[in-house]
Amino acid sequence: MRLRLLTLLVGLLLPLSAAAQDATVRQLTEPLAVDPGPVPAAPGDSRAATGGAQTLADILARQRGETIDDSFRRNATGDPDSASGIAAQLGTLGGSSDSELLRAMRYGSADITVTSRSPAADVIMQDGGMWWLQVRQGPLAQYGAWLLGGTLILLALFYLLRGKIRIEGEKAGRTLTRFTSFERFGHWLFAGSFLILGATGLISLFGRTVLIPVFGHQFFSTIAIASKWVHNNVAWAFMLGLAIVILNWTLHNIPNRHDLVWLAKGGGLFSKGVHAPARKFNAGQKMIFWGCVVLGLSISASGLSLLFPFEMPMFAKTFAILNDIGASGWVGLAPLPEQLAAQEEMQYAQLWHAIIAFVFMAMIFAHIYLGTIGMEGAFDAMGTGEVDEQWAREHHGLWVDEVKARQAASGSATPAE
């Protein structure tokens, strides 16, 4: 009889225990996906009741990315006055319990020696990953998708309203050399590597939400590994292409007074029969060029920081400079952290890398549109390097005059750039 009662009692308690465990797991994990707002502490839910340890409210606040006063943990890393007696179980630890040592390791204040010689080997736990994960999966992905999608929609509307910008005069049947083979090589190396980097970067950011539901985990795993390898190695071609572009065209993209006229007329993009004067590059192309230079250098720097996080940290030094000049206070972020673990450096670098990439891709979408379907004859400049003289006169009339003047001075009958 006792055995039967015991069996019945165990049978009743096991389901209740499993249900309680499931409820606890749901309570701890659901705030990561759905933000229910601040969770009030339950009656008696105080640190006094937990012996000074964090409460459930503390845990949920950290998971939501809220800033909390964690000094009760950060500073609780061993007090000799509170040590147990030498005969007690923890007395031989010198006043520091295992939990206190783990807290010190978590906040980087532990005086420890590790056998591994690799950088950051003594960083066992890094407490700043939750905010990065939430920003990456939330605002970064959301606003980035809106930016790219909105740019494509605006370009489609512009095409529907304006149509293709065609050569208005009769084609001359004569061509001018617009770009040399070396200039086109630098352009296509820069552009082609950027397209590959953009595609692999989007796979890394959106693959889990887009590819896994459609193709499954195994397919995404293969694609993600390949994308990471391609992204890391094609980056060198991108930086080489950027260097060639800067070398070839910086002098041609220095602003001049003709750019103001071009901007005043909208470059003739919005009205037929309007042709603004321009030299080799017009004001719109100059904005694209300097955008590529600034964004390209920035994304290359953050990319190098991600490839070599221990050798090329960026943000701790940058934050120190911003604090020194007071810039961090202008937006209410003073003081910015000046001591960052290698993992935190990579988190900041990854977010900056992705933000710059989204802006870069939106700008390049507009450039690709005008260089292909948006303007007749524009692709020839980078396709063959030769453009019809009438096209050149309509879009770069001052440059044509310069080319003709050089031809006359040299006595050459062969068109040349």
Side-chain angles (χ1 to χ4, degrees):
M1 178 64 69
R2 291 180 180 177
L3 180 60
R4 292 180 180 178
L5 290 175
L6 181 60
T7 303
L8 179 61
L9 182 60
V10 171
L12 290 174
L13 290 177
L14 283 178
L16 291 176
S17 176
Q21 184 177 6
D22 291 342
T24 302
V25 171
R26 287 195 302 271
Q27 190 176 24
L28 290 174
T29 57
E30 284 178 356
L32 293 174
V34 179
D35 186 357
V39 178
D45 189 15
S46 66
R47 297 194 187 103
T50 61
Q54 62 179 337
T55 65
L56 176 60
D58 295 327
I59 296 173
L60 297 180
R62 285 180 54 250
Q63 290 178 343
R64 292 193 298 271
E66 298 176 4
T67 301
I68 64 171
D69 181 8
D70 60 0
S71 58
F72 70 95
R73 302 178 64 211
R74 183 182 297 272
N75 299 329
T77 56
D79 181 5
D81 294 334
S82 63
S84 301
I86 192 64
Q89 184 177 2
L90 296 179
T92 56
L93 293 177
S96 294
S97 66
D98 289 340
S99 59
E100 290 171 336
L101 176 60
L102 291 176
R103 280 196 294 270
M105 294 171 66
R106 185 185 197 102
Y107 293 106
S109 61
D111 183 13
I112 59 176
T113 301
V114 295
T115 56
S116 174
R117 300 300 181 186
S118 60
D122 57 342
V123 181
I124 308 302
M125 293 172 286
Q126 193 264 320
D127 204 41
M130 185 60 67
W131 75 269
W132 168 80
L133 180 64
Q134 291 177 336
V135 171
R136 186 177 186 273
Q137 294 180 343
L140 177 65
Q142 182 180 8
Y143 295 142
W146 287 355
L147 176 62
L148 297 186
T151 301
L152 293 176
I153 291 174
L154 288 176
L155 291 174
L157 290 175
F158 181 78
Y159 182 79
L160 291 175
L161 296 175
R162 176 65 171 89
K164 190 168 188 173
I165 301 173
R166 299 192 177 277
I167 301 175
E168 296 182 357
E170 184 178 353
K171 292 184 179 181
R174 299 181 303 275
T175 62
L176 298 175
T177 301
R178 176 80 172 139
F179 296 114
T180 65
S181 58
F182 182 68
E183 287 178 306
R184 286 183 285 121
F185 167 76
H187 171 272
W188 287 116
L189 180 65
F190 181 62
S193 58
F194 177 81
L195 294 177
I196 295 173
L197 292 172
T200 52
L202 291 175
I203 289 174
S204 298
L205 183 60
F206 293 105
R208 291 181 179 274
T209 56
V210 176
L211 296 181
I212 288 180
V214 178
F215 299 103
H217 289 80
Q218 184 61 45
F219 175 83
F220 172 70
S221 175
T222 302
I223 294 298
I225 293 172
S227 294
K228 181 180 183 299
W229 186 90
V230 170
H231 196 92
N232 291 348
N233 289 278
V234 172
W236 302 108
F238 172 82
M239 287 184 278
L240 176 60
L242 175 61
I244 296 175
V245 165
I246 294 174
L247 177 66
N248 282 334
W249 295 329
T250 297
L251 294 178
H252 292 289
N253 282 276
I254 297 175
N256 56 55
R257 58 187 177 85
H258 303 295
D259 298 330
L260 297 176
V261 179
W262 190 94
L263 291 172
K265 294 185 176 182
L269 298 177
F270 303 95
S271 304
K272 295 181 179 180
V274 176
H275 304 294
R279 302 178 73 175
K280 183 165 185 175
F281 293 102
N282 58 44
Q285 292 169 322
K286 289 179 180 180
M287 288 189 288
I288 294 291
F289 172 82
W290 289 113
C292 287
V293 170
V294 173
L295 297 177
L297 291 175
S298 180
I299 206 170
S300 296
S302 58
L304 288 171
S305 181
L306 288 169
L307 288 172
F308 306 102
F310 306 113
E311 293 82 4
M312 300 182 63
M314 286 179 51
F315 283 88
K317 296 179 181 179
T318 303
F319 289 165
I321 295 173
L322 293 176
N323 287 336
D324 289 341
I325 65 176
S328 56
W330 301 344
V331 290
L333 296 178
L336 292 168
E338 299 181 13
Q339 298 294 328
L340 297 174
Q343 290 85 349
E344 292 176 296
E345 281 280 358
M346 286 187 282
Q347 288 161 4
Y348 280 110
Q350 190 275 332
L351 292 180
W352 182 257
H353 195 74
I355 292 170
I356 296 299
F358 276 123
V359 176
F360 209 158
M361 284 187 282
M363 182 184 72
I364 294 302
F365 281 172
H367 178 64
I368 292 175
Y369 165 78
L370 288 174
T372 55
I373 63 173
M375 179 181 291
E376 181 184 8
F379 184 79
D380 294 337
M382 277 299 167
T384 64
E386 303 289 326
V387 294
D388 187 85
E389 185 175 323
Q390 179 61 29
W391 177 91
R393 286 200 175 277
E394 292 182 6
H395 299 287
H396 301 274
L398 298 177
W399 171 72
V400 174
D401 294 338
E402 293 173 356
V403 172
K404 293 293 186 180
R406 286 198 298 270
Q407 291 176 0
S410 63
S412 173
T414 303
E417 191 272 325

